[in-house]
Amino acid sequence: MADSLRALEILPQLFAAALMVMGLYEEEKRRVEHNMLALSNVNLATSGFVGPEIQKMLSHALERVLSVVRMPAGALFLHHGNAQGPTSVVAVGLAENFCAASQEEGLDDHLVDLVSRLGGLVVFRDLGRDAAWAALEGEEAFRRFRQLAMGQGLRTVVGISLQAKEQAFGVLFLGTPDSRTFAAAELRLLLALGHQIGMAVENSYLVQQSARRTEELHMLNEIGRALSSTLDPEALFETILSELKRLVDVNHFYIALLSPAQNEIRFEIEVRDGVTQPKRSRPYGDKHVTEYVMRTRQPLLIRENYAEELRKLGLVSRLDNGCFCGVPLLLYERVIGVMAVQSPREGAFDAGHLEMMRVVASEAVIALENARLFREERAKSRHLTLLNNISRNVITTLNPDEMLAKIAAELEQGLDYSHIGIGLLEYSSKEIVIQAEAGLRKGVLGRRLRLDGNIVGRVARTGQMAVVSYLDSSEVPVEPVLEGSVSAIALPIVYADQLHGVLYVETDKSADFPKEEILFLGTLADLVSGALHNAYAFQKAQEQAITDGLTGVKTHRFFMEALSGEWKRSTRAGRSFSVVLMDLDRFKFVNDFYGHLDGDVVLQRVARILEQNCRRSDVVARYGGDEFVILMPETDSEQSHQLAAKLRAWIASDPVLHEKNVTSSLGVATFPIHGSTPQELIQVADASMYLSKHQGGNAVSTADHFNPDESKQWKRDVLEAYLGVTLKRQFTTGPDAFVEIHSRIEQFARKLSETRQPTSRPDGRGDHKASAESFEPLPAVVMDTLTSLALAVDAKDQFTQGHSQKVSGYAVLIAEAMELSGAEVEEIRLGGMLHDVGKVGIPELILNKCGPLNPEEWETMKRHVEYGAKLLEPLRGTERVCSMVRHHHEFFDGSGYPQGFAGSQIPLGARIIAIADAYDTITSERTYKKAHTPEEAFLELERCGGAQFDPEIVRTFVSRLRHLPNPLIEPVLVSERETISK
């Protein structure tokens, strides 16, 4: 009973407890419903904000979250879709130093990563107890965060990762000063809340990115249209800058183009701190970021640690920090420049900006190329129009002054240069006179310029185009024609090697003159030169009919008419007259060393001397380039020789000509003793003049000999002169050269035989057979000429220089070892020297071919032995030498050429020369092989003994050389230049 009563007593308490549990359940249910409602309201709020209002939205969301979870403090760290980008912080209930310290010390990045690694949700309960956090205390960033949180009076902090689909956009921290425990439902609610905010941030970020991309595409489309509609390069750079301002910060921006010709970088447009800078250029360097982008041909983005990143690339930097975004300008896979933006603020540019810059660069390159092509075509059109107008004007007038005035007017309308001038050369004063000018800057018309100290004079003096920059200290200092000029180009106005003047252009700004512009100016100069020539020709037509325009003496045509008239008068009256032909010595050197201008002055000086010192009845004329001729009426041979000698002395003693080392060689011929017709007189005078030149120049020669034997000797001397001067100049090999040389030698041989007396036998009769079979030393001039020809042929190839000399030396060694007579040794020496002289008839393409000869070329090369023998055939007494030259390629076994002789059929001298030739070839370097040692050459000769070579001679030769201290001969080489110039 008592138990029943106690149960009844407890029953109300149990009922009350049940009611309390039911109340708590309903309260929890209402709280969960309230939280779910609050969560729904947060979701609605976040979905309604995008773009720049994201900060306001996050602050509102944080406040709602704190009210839902009933916690007093919280902070939201957000990365805006870029883990490396700037962090936004929203805080409620926390001091400002908490957020500031978190950002400055980089704690926000660490905390975002930490919460994400711990599963996206972490509760830091009882932060004041060190033992609870020993595992994380090893991380400095967490230790610092714990200190900051405890400094704010927080004991419990909940970290929730703002996780979207693929990445965490930040972290949400909720804090309370008490040690709070969270139910599982609350934690799930917080985790869902973090996901909701993360999704909202991601949506906002994607919307912003989409809007940005849309705007960029729109702007890029507008930029493309703007660039494609601009064809002026200067305006194009400004358009690129103005359009890029809509997409990116261009306070530090530049476009730099590569100039390969000058090896420099030209900054076509450059902005620093928002201010456009003047154009500039600098030499191409390897340590600059601009050149690095050009070399790699790849875009470059440096978002932070600018100076350090450049150092890693091996580059130098004038900035310690900042951000760089640069792209190469590629045209047909060729780098033409770089477009780049910079910022002193790190992280100012990202991959999106880099891609956008790349697209703009491709558009810019196309626009630049279109502008360049348009500019070139427009310039060509203007140039053609200008040339057409000038041509039309110059053919309508033949007055030089009027013509130049019209040309200047056309130049002013057709060209953009600030100053253009045409200066004509005044030979008498050796000055350039400005006869026409055009352009915005004028003031030098009529000015006289010397031939030194200015670009116009330099071009007149050298006859070569010149380009100068008056500001360049590295160049030879010259004065501008017009004050204030910065750059200049000058071209000679030349017609048929005659300098008329100089066309020059000066600019008041630094300018490069491209090839196309130089080509146009050259064409313009040619047009002006032709027009001037025609004007002068018309103006001086009558005068030039009888007077040489350069020297002022009579013309060749006038002289020939005067000569014909004097010959007719003298023939009728039985009177004598003389012709003196004069050629200047070393005049070519004056032209080459001092220039054609000084050469013209020399011709004028000589003409003046002749005019002043000849008789009034004499006719002085210019016969050719540097040849003058004088017709002396009623003058016999002795008188003409005396007058010619005086002329030679006056020319030799003239100080102007003496300074240039110019003298004269004169030849005299008198009618009727030296010729019965004008043509014969000219030929005799020419031959006599040649004889003077062969004697060394500065001489007078005449054919005035009455003894027939002496006349023959004179003819022989003349022929020797021809051989000594003309023949040695035939240094181009080939069939034509061979025909010319052979003809000269035949002519000389005929005249030589006329002057020789036949060998007399005791009975008084000439033994012509003995003479033909004996070796007679050739005249020195013939030996010198033939030797020079052989050396000139050797010099055609650097590997064969001195070959003939060495073969001759080795052949003499063999002949002496075989104890041959002195005459035989001399024959073999000459045969060795001349063994390859026939190569003068082989075309140079075959003679100098580096690779092996084809069968046809080899057959041509084999003819050199016949050519060589044919050259020697006309010279009496060289029969055995001729045979050596013809047969030195015969083989001992009969397999050689040209006739397949064998054994003793081959002349002894030819067998000796063959061994000497082979030995030098083996021990010398050629294009197709290296040089071998003498011992290797001995072995090769011995191996070929009996087949290619006479074995007995080989043994004699090898034995002789092995006893010499040096078995190799080193000849004294004579260069081809020296050979030809003799």
Side-chain angles (χ1 to χ4, degrees), residues 681-816:
L681 291 173
I682 291 294
Q683 290 175 358
V684 172
D686 181 63
S688 300
M689 180 270 292
Y690 239 91
L691 192 60
S692 296
K693 291 193 76 67
H694 183 58
Q695 294 170 359
N698 196 23
V700 178
S701 299
T702 179
D704 191 15
H705 300 283
F706 299 99
N707 188 299
D709 293 335
E710 292 182 355
S711 179
K712 291 180 180 180
Q713 181 62 37
W714 174 82
K715 292 181 180 179
R716 175 182 173 182
D717 292 342
V718 170
L719 287 169
E720 287 188 3
Y722 272 109
L723 282 173
V725 178
T726 305
L727 190 57
K728 291 181 184 179
R729 292 178 181 171
Q730 294 286 347
F731 58 89
T732 300
T733 65
D736 292 340
F738 172 79
V739 171
E740 174 67 18
I741 295 172
H742 184 256
S743 174
R744 292 288 187 183
I745 292 178
E746 277 191 326
Q747 183 182 7
F748 175 78
R750 285 196 301 270
K751 298 302 180 182
L752 185 64
S753 64
E754 294 175 3
T755 62
R756 284 182 171 175
Q757 297 298 325
T759 303
S760 298
R761 296 193 304 191
D763 58 4
R765 292 179 297 173
D767 187 356
H768 295 285
K769 181 178 180 181
S771 175
E773 293 178 354
S774 62
F775 175 71
E776 299 181 21
L778 294 174
V781 64
V782 180
M783 279 298 304
D784 183 44
T785 299
L786 294 176
T787 301
S788 298
L789 281 174
L791 297 180
V793 171
D794 288 351
K796 287 295 179 181
D797 185 346
Q798 61 172 331
F799 293 105
T800 60
Q801 284 192 3
H803 171 67
S804 294
Q805 288 175 293
K806 291 190 286 184
V807 170
S808 179
Y810 291 131
V812 168
L813 286 177
I814 297 173
E816 291 175 345

Side-chain angles (χ1 to χ4, degrees), residues 753-909:
S753 64
E754 294 175 3
T755 62
R756 284 182 171 175
Q757 297 298 325
T759 303
S760 298
R761 296 193 304 191
D763 58 4
R765 292 179 297 173
D767 187 356
H768 295 285
K769 181 178 180 181
S771 175
E773 293 178 354
S774 62
F775 175 71
E776 299 181 21
L778 294 174
V781 64
V782 180
M783 279 298 304
D784 183 44
T785 299
L786 294 176
T787 301
S788 298
L789 281 174
L791 297 180
V793 171
D794 288 351
K796 287 295 179 181
D797 185 346
Q798 61 172 331
F799 293 105
T800 60
Q801 284 192 3
H803 171 67
S804 294
Q805 288 175 293
K806 291 190 286 184
V807 170
S808 179
Y810 291 131
V812 168
L813 286 177
I814 297 173
E816 291 175 345
M818 295 176 67
E819 299 182 352
L820 299 181
S821 67
E824 290 174 315
V825 171
E826 179 59 23
E827 282 183 326
I828 291 173
R829 184 198 68 78
L830 183 58
M833 181 63 71
L834 302 180
H835 76 287
D836 276 343
V837 72
K839 288 183 178 178
V840 74
I842 305 302
E844 289 192 9
L845 289 176
I846 296 177
L847 204 59
N848 297 331
K849 186 174 181 180
C850 295
L853 302 179
N854 60 40
E856 183 179 354
E857 292 169 337
W858 176 240
E859 289 301 319
T860 301
M861 176 64 81
K862 287 162 63 174
R863 295 177 194 152
H864 80 276
V865 295
E866 296 291 352
Y867 286 145
K870 194 171 182 180
L871 286 177
L872 297 176
E873 281 176 354
L875 300 173
R876 192 177 66 179
T878 62
E879 289 78 7
R880 285 192 291 271
V881 176
C882 178
S883 180
M884 296 177 198
V885 172
R886 175 179 281 114
H887 297 292
H888 75 277
H889 277 296
E890 302 283 5
F891 283 9
F892 197 72
D893 61 2
S895 61
Y897 66 87
Q899 293 180 278
F901 284 178
S904 59
Q905 288 181 302
I906 306 172
L908 177 62

